[in-house]
Amino acid sequence: MNIAVESNLYEAVLAAIESGETCNNQLLEIVGSMTVNEDQTVIPDEYKILNGDGTLTAMIDSNEAVTVTDASILVETNTTYGNYEITITEADDAESYLLDSSNMEGVVITMTDGSKYAMLHVDNLWLRTNLIA
């Protein structure tokens, strides 16, 4: 996982590690085990920010969400792969935005009443190209 650390926090933690200080949270351990990206101009697509209390923020993703409006969807219940199986078919002339297991982070299903259901990859989401369960 890529982790971003504010430069002043990073320098303060390195000084604390060098002087042998201890900390009640995992901040010193995390920074001490990091591999620094030498090219600071390259920002990873995904990363978390390390806070001074040793906690990490939620994943920050610079990839833009894609909304597909011309796809047809078939929802089946009680299938072999899950409680719900969703088959997505895009229009023939559309550029394909369908995900596969190598580039999918999660799925948010938005219902017509506005309610949303989030699913995470591998945690509660099974995926093959154009098939979600």
Side-chain angles (χ1 to χ4, degrees):
M1 168 185 351
N2 293 307
I3 298 175
V5 182
E6 298 263 340
S7 60
N8 58 350
L9 175 62
Y10 182 73
E11 291 167 7
V13 171
L14 287 182
I17 291 171
E18 287 180 20
S19 67
E21 292 183 35
T22 60
C23 187
N24 290 335
N25 62 50
Q26 296 181 338
L27 181 64
L28 300 180
E29 295 172 36
I30 293 170
V31 172
S33 65
M34 289 175 61
T35 302
V36 177
N37 178 4
E38 296 300 326
D39 185 357
Q40 299 295 310
T41 61
V42 176
I43 298 173
D45 289 338
E46 302 169 340
Y47 61 95
K48 292 186 176 193
I49 297 175
L50 179 62
N51 300 311
D53 63 359
T55 61
L56 295 169
T57 64
M59 183 69 73
I60 297 171
D61 185 353
S62 62
N63 296 315
E64 292 186 29
V66 175
T67 301
V68 177
T69 58
D70 60 352
S72 63
I73 299 172
L74 171 66
V75 179
E76 299 174 89
T77 59
N78 297 319
T79 67
T80 305
Y81 298 109
N83 294 332
Y84 300 95
E85 186 174 302
I86 303 168
T87 305
I88 304 166
T89 308
E90 291 182 280
D92 291 335
D93 60 345
E95 180 180 347
S96 179
Y97 290 103
L98 293 177
L99 301 171
D100 62 39
S101 59
S102 69
N103 65 4
M104 190 249 329
E105 297 172 11
V107 171
V108 177
I109 304 291
T110 305
M111 308 306 279
T112 55
D113 66 0
S115 59
K116 296 183 178 191
Y117 301 92
M119 297 183 284
L120 300 175
H121 181 45
V122 181
D123 184 26
N124 55 359
L125 183 62
W126 178 86
L127 172 77
R128 286 187 5 203
T129 300
N130 85 327
L131 186 64
I132 300 169

